[in-house]
C-alpha cells in the first residue's frame, strides 16, 4: 500500500503539469493577499480563511483530476448531462439562495453545514466543456459543419444557456458559456459561415430587443453608461466611477498594501472590492505594476493551457484545453474591462483572484484536467 502511494506521488511530480500548478498557486496566493487587504476594514478573517480552505481543496482536486481520464469518463455522458440539468434545477428548491440576498440573481445554493455557498454555473462550466468537447470531436469524424451536426451541438449549448438564464437570470455566467462555445467550435474547425450567420442573428436579435424595449432597464443602463460615463453617476455607474478613481489614485506604484484610501474605507466607497472589483484594489494599492503582474500571471496560465492543447494526443483533449483557456480569457477580459469602465458590469469575478470558494475550486479542478491531458500526451515510455 505504501509503495503504491509512493508510486502515485512520484508519478504526479514526474508527469503532472507542475508549471501550471505553480502559476495557479501563485495567482491564488496573490489573490488571497488582495482579499486580506480588501476585507481588512471588516475586522474579520473569515474571507481569507474561506479562500485559503478553497485553495487547499483546489490543489487536492488539481492532483485528483490529473489522474482522471476525462475522455474515458465522458462515455457516461448521459449521466453527466443529467447532473448538469439537475444541478441547475436545484436553484429552484429551498437550497437556492433568495435573489434578494444574492444581487438579484438566483445563482447560489446554500447547503446546511457547508462553509460556503455553491454557484452551479461555475461547476457546470467544467462538465459542459467536457461534454461539448466530446460532441465536437465525434462530429469531426463525420461532418462537423452540416446542418444536422450544428443542430445537435448547438442545441446542447442553447439548452444549457437557456435553462441557466431562465432559472438564475445570471446573464454574466451565460455570456461565459457563449464565449466557451465560440472558442471551442472555432478550434474544432466549424466553417466560418456559421459564425457569420450566428453573428448576424445575434446582432439583429439584440437590436430588435433594444428598440422594442424588451431588455430590462438595468441591463440597458449598464450598456448606456459605458457609452456615456456621465450617466447614472450615483446608481448604475457608481461602481465603475469609484473603480476609475481607485486606479487614478494608485499611479504606477500604488498607495501600498493595506493603505488604499478607498480599499481601507468602511463607507462602501469601492463596492464589491473583494469580488468583482478586486482588480481595482490592486490598482489603488499596488499601482499599474501590480495590475501588470496580475495580467501576466493570468496570461501565462492561459498560454500554458494552449500549449498543452497543441500537444494533446487526441482532438477531444485539445478541445477541452481550448475550452478552459477560452473560459479564463473571457472572464479576465470582461472583469478587467469592467473595472476600467470599458465593459458593462455583469458580475463576473477575476479568475484565481476574486473571493469565491466555488469559483477557485472550479478553476483548480479545470486546470487539473488540463494537467491530466498533458500527462496522457506524454510518450508511453515516460508514462510507464
Amino acid at each position: 500500500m505504501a509503495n503504491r502511494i509512493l508510486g502515485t506521488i512520484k508519478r504526479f511530480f514526474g508527469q503532472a503539469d507542475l508549471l501550471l500548478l505553480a502559476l495557479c498557486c501563485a495567482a491564488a496566493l496573490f489573490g488571497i493577499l488582495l482579499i486580506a487587504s480588501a476585507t481588512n476594514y471588516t475586522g474579520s478573517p473569515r474571507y481569507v480563511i474561506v479562500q485559503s480552505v478553497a485553495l487547499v481543496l483546489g490543489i487536492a482536486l488539481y492532483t485528483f483530476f490529473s489522474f482522471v481520464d476525462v475522455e474515458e469518463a465522458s462515455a457516461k455522458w448521459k449521466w453527466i448531462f443529467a447532473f448538469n440539468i439537475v444541478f441547475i434545477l436545484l436553484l429552484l428548491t429551498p437550497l437556492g439562495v433568495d435573489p434578494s440576498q444574492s444581487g438579484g440573481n438566483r445563482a447560489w445554493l446554500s447547503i446546511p453545514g457547508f462553509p460556503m455557498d455553491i454557484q452551479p454555473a461555475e461547476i457546470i462550466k467544467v462538465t459542459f466543456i467536457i461534454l461539448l468537447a466530446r460532441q465536437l470531436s465525434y462530429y469531426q469524424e463525420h461532418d462537423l459543419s452540416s446542418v444536422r451536426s450544428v443542430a445537435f451541438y448547438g442545441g446542447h449549448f442553447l439548452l444549457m444557456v437557456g435553462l441557466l438564464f431562465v432559472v438564475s437570470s445570471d446573464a454574466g455566467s451565460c455570456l461565459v458559456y457563449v464565449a466557451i462555445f465560440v472558442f471551442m467550435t472555432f478550434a474544432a474547425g466549424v466553417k466560418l459561415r456559421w459564425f457569420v450567420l450566428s453573428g448576424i442573428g445575434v446582432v439583429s436579435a439584440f437590436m430588435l430587443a433594444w428598440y422594442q424595449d424588451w431588455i430590462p432597464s438595468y441591463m440597458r443602463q449598464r450598456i448606456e453608461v459605458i457609452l456615456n460615463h456621465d450617466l447614472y453617476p450615483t446608481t448604475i455607474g457608481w461602481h465603475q466611477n469609484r473603480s476609475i478613481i481607485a486606479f487614478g489614485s494608485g499611479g504606477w506604484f500604488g498607495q501600498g498594501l493595506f493603505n488604499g484610501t478607498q480599499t481601507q474605507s468602511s463607507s462602501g466607497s469601492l463596492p464589491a472590492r473583494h469580488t468583482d472589483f478586486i482588480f481595482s484594489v490592486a490598482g489603488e494599492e499596488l499601482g499599474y505594476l501590480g495590475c501588470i503582474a496580475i495580467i501576466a500571471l493570468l496570461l501565462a496560465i492561459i498560454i500554458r493551457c494552449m500549449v498543452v492543447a497543441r500537444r494533446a494526443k487526441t482532438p477531444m483533449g485539445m478541445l477541452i484545453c481550448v475550452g478552459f483557456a477560452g473560459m479564463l480569457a473571457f472572464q479576465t477580459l470582461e472583469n478587467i474591462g469592467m473595472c476600467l469602465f470599458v465593459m458593462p458590469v455583469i458580475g463576473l469575478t477575476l479568475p484565481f483572484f476574486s473571493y469565491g470558494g466555488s469559483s477557485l475550486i472550479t478553476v483548480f479542478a479545470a486546470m487539473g484536467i488540463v494537467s491530466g491531458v498533458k500527462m496522457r500526451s506524454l510518450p508511453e515510455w515516460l508514462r510507464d
Side-chain angles (χ1 to χ4, degrees):
M1 183 67 176
N3 289 336
R4 186 176 179 181
I5 295 173
L6 188 61
T8 301
I9 294 173
K10 185 178 178 181
R11 185 185 171 203
F12 176 79
F13 283 100
Q15 300 178 18
D17 199 329
L18 298 183
L19 173 59
L20 181 59
L21 178 60
L23 290 170
C24 293
C25 288
L29 289 170
F30 194 168
I32 290 173
L33 188 62
L34 290 173
I35 290 168
S37 181
T39 59
N40 182 52
Y41 75 97
T42 67
S44 170
R46 175 183 177 275
Y47 300 97
V48 172
I49 292 172
V50 169
Q51 198 76 351
S52 299
V53 170
L55 172 57
V56 173
L57 292 174
I59 294 172
L61 285 177
Y62 184 101
T63 305
F64 172 76
F65 280 109
S66 291
F67 291 102
V68 174
D69 189 341
V70 292
E71 295 187 43
E72 185 178 316
S74 70
K76 304 291 185 181
W77 65 268
K78 293 180 181 178
W79 289 102
I80 299 173
F81 180 70
F83 166 79
N84 290 349
I85 299 296
V86 171
F87 206 30
I88 293 174
L89 293 177
L90 281 177
L91 292 168
L92 299 176
T93 69
L95 294 176
V97 177
D98 190 276
S100 63
Q101 302 174 16
S102 58
N105 297 328
R106 188 180 292 276
W108 297 89
L109 293 174
S110 180
I111 300 176
F114 198 70
M116 63 187 79
D117 290 344
I118 298 173
Q119 190 174 11
E122 285 288 334
I123 296 171
I124 290 173
K125 278 189 292 193
V126 175
T127 47
F128 171 73
I129 287 171
I130 293 170
L131 291 185
L132 184 59
R134 179 181 175 86
Q135 275 188 303
L136 291 172
S137 60
Y138 169 80
Y139 285 113
Q140 280 179 325
E141 299 175 2
H142 299 79
D143 187 355
L144 183 65
S145 296
S146 70
V147 174
R148 183 177 182 275
S149 299
V150 173
F152 272 100
Y153 56 75
H156 172 212
F157 158 70
L158 291 174
L159 173 63
M160 294 304 301
V161 171
L163 181 64
L164 181 62
F165 184 75
V166 169
V167 172
S168 71
S169 300
D170 189 352
S173 292
C174 291
L175 285 176
V176 178
Y177 283 77
V178 173
I180 290 169
F181 183 76
V182 171
F183 272 96
M184 292 180 68
T185 49
F186 182 81
V190 175
K191 291 188 181 300
L192 186 60
R193 66 171 180 266
W194 285 110
F195 294 99
V196 174
L197 289 171
S198 299
I200 292 172
V202 169
V203 171
S204 299
F206 177 79
M207 296 302 293
L208 177 63
W210 184 274
Y211 287 110
Q212 291 296 322
D213 213 18
W214 294 340
I215 298 176
S217 59
Y218 74 93
M219 288 187 180
R220 289 175 63 95
Q221 291 171 355
R222 288 182 180 183
I223 297 171
E224 290 170 344
V225 78
I226 296 300
L227 303 175
N228 183 354
H229 292 183
D230 293 329
L231 293 174
Y232 322 115
T234 60
T235 53
I236 295 296
W238 172 257
H239 291 59
Q240 290 169 294
N241 279 317
R242 305 310 300 180
S243 176
I244 289 296
I245 293 172
F247 276 109
S249 64
W252 276 101
F253 302 102
Q255 298 179 16
L257 202 61
F258 293 92
N259 285 309
T261 304
Q262 291 194 83
T263 300
Q264 302 306 320
S265 169
S266 60
S267 64
S269 55
L270 182 61
R273 66 192 79 172
H274 62 300
T275 52
D276 296 0
F277 287 88
I278 195 76
F279 192 71
S280 305
V281 171
E284 181 178 59
E285 297 198 333
L286 301 178
Y288 303 147
L289 292 180
C291 292
I292 290 171
I294 290 174
I295 294 171
L297 272 172
L298 289 170
L299 185 60
I301 292 170
I302 293 166
I303 291 174
R304 186 59 186 170
C305 289
M306 295 304 293
V307 168
V308 175
R310 185 171 182 177
R311 297 173 179 172
K313 192 175 181 180
T314 64
M316 182 176 171
M318 180 274 290
L319 289 170
I320 287 173
C321 295
V322 169
F324 290 134
M327 174 188 77
L328 294 176
F330 178 78
Q331 286 194 221
T332 298
L333 287 172
E334 167 56 32
N335 181 273
I336 292 176
M338 183 175 74
C339 292
L340 295 176
F341 215 161
V342 295
M343 299 286 278
V345 174
I346 58 175
L348 287 182
T349 56
L350 189 62
F352 295 102
F353 288 89
S354 294
Y355 172 76
S358 60
S359 175
L360 187 62
I361 290 171
T362 298
V363 289
F364 264 92
M367 295 303 100
I369 292 172
V370 173
S371 174
V373 172
K374 182 250 184 186
M375 287 177 68
R376 280 174 287 281
S377 300
L378 294 171
E380 291 291 340
W381 64 274
L382 281 176
R383 287 187 282 153
D384 294 336

